[in-house]
Amino acid sequence: MQKIKAIIFDLDGVITDTAEFHYLAWKKLSEKLNYSFTREFNEELKGISRMESLEKIIVASGLHKRLNQEEKLALAEEKNNDYISLIEGITPKAILPGIEKFIFQIKREGLKIGLASVSKNAYTVIKRLELTEQFDTIVDARKIKNGKPDPEIFLTAARQLEFEPIECIGIEDAAAGIEAIKATGMFAVGIGKKDILAKADMVYENTESLSLEEILRVYEKQIS
Ligand code: B16
Ligand code: MG
């Protein structure tokens, strides 16, 4: 039977609720562009890069033909500055419920832990949460060419841990992230709504309900 060797986490929306800060910063920028930004639209931005997110907003708002590259970069920077101010006050208290206990369970089982975040701010966030030491490997935007849903980020994390994708489990809150995990052949655990994360192998409504024992049980049942 295949043995699981590592758990690879997404950051925003799984370890901490920075997904909400990305939402607020994009909403503020959208309002400036006279675009009515909804939570439903925000789901499409989860897990994708800053510039890809901006592109989607300006296409949706009908501004894409009027903005040149320099203006786009300035808008992306403006959003990032707002995001940076929002994450300034982050402390370990912002770790989502159940995550520390889950990390403890993973370590107790002797499994490795990886981080796969396309955020250029990932290191800062993990450091402020005082979690850097918990990770055996960290892959962020600087190490990859293609964002989620491309599998590159999860494949890189597995390679850096020196495991096959089939020996790893990925955890994500974004549809694009689940797609990326599944494209590697890993088992995918979703955090959030089942209809949005339909391609995941199993979904928990929130991080508080995460159980390593249950995940391993479902994984083993699936591969047997
Ligand atoms: P930044 P993840 C992703 O992080 C977010 O889900 C996404 O909303 C954000 O646009 C992206 O990081 C880039 O973030 O602007 O900080 O570089 O979910 O992969 O941890
Ligand atoms: Mg996420």
Side-chain angles (χ1 to χ4, degrees), residues 45-89:
L45 310 187
K46 284 186 180 175
I48 66 168
S49 75
R50 197 181 306 161
M51 287 313 283
E52 281 171 321
S53 300
L54 177 73
E55 206 59 44
K56 276 187 185 265
I57 291 172
I58 60 178
V59 166
S61 60
L63 285 170
H64 59 295
K65 289 201 179 110
R66 277 187 263 156
L67 296 170
N68 62 33
Q69 189 58 12
E70 207 179 311
E71 288 164 328
K72 287 184 198 176
L73 287 171
L75 289 173
E77 194 184 335
E78 190 177 325
K79 181 264 170 182
N80 192 47
N81 288 338
D82 280 330
Y83 177 73
I84 286 173
S85 335
L86 288 167
I87 61 170
E88 225 152 59

Side-chain angles (χ1 to χ4, degrees), residues 59-223:
V59 166
S61 60
L63 285 170
H64 59 295
K65 289 201 179 110
R66 277 187 263 156
L67 296 170
N68 62 33
Q69 189 58 12
E70 207 179 311
E71 288 164 328
K72 287 184 198 176
L73 287 171
L75 289 173
E77 194 184 335
E78 190 177 325
K79 181 264 170 182
N80 192 47
N81 288 338
D82 280 330
Y83 177 73
I84 286 173
S85 335
L86 288 167
I87 61 170
E88 225 152 59
I90 282 191
T91 68
K93 283 193 188 138
I95 299 171
L96 282 169
I99 289 295
E100 284 168 296
K101 190 175 111 207
F102 187 58
I103 290 177
F104 177 77
Q105 291 173 355
I106 298 170
K107 299 253 172 198
R108 195 181 52 199
E109 288 304 310
L111 308 182
K112 299 280 185 203
I113 302 189
L115 185 77
S117 170
V118 299
S119 172
K120 289 185 175 143
N121 297 295
Y123 268 95
T124 311
V125 172
I126 282 294
K127 203 168 157 224
R128 294 209 175 127
L129 295 175
E130 296 175 17
L131 283 177
T132 317
E133 311 286 284
Q134 302 292 343
F135 290 91
D136 298 290
T137 198
I138 293 181
V139 186
D140 69 358
R142 286 170 294 182
K143 292 196 183 141
I144 51 151
K145 284 200 198 82
N146 309 298
K148 301 161 186 175
D150 191 282
E152 185 184 359
I153 192 159
F154 283 96
L155 285 175
T156 308
R159 199 178 51 242
Q160 286 185 183
L161 289 167
E162 300 184 2
F163 296 135
E164 293 300 324
I166 186 88
E167 297 174 307
C168 306
I169 288 173
I171 307 189
E172 261 288 350
D173 70 316
I178 294 291
E179 219 175 292
I181 296 171
K182 289 313 294 172
T184 68
M186 286 181 202
F187 185 86
V189 176
I191 304 290
K193 295 204 167 69
K194 273 195 179 143
D195 53 337
I196 294 170
L197 308 170
K199 290 184 183 157
D201 294 292
M202 62 192 290
V203 178
Y204 286 103
E205 210 173 301
N206 52 52
T207 50
E208 214 164 357
S209 338
L210 275 167
S211 154
L212 183 64
E213 207 187 322
E214 186 180 41
I215 294 171
L216 295 178
R217 216 171 33 237
V218 176
Y219 169 84
E220 275 157 24
K221 207 164 151 198
Q222 187 168 303
I223 61 156

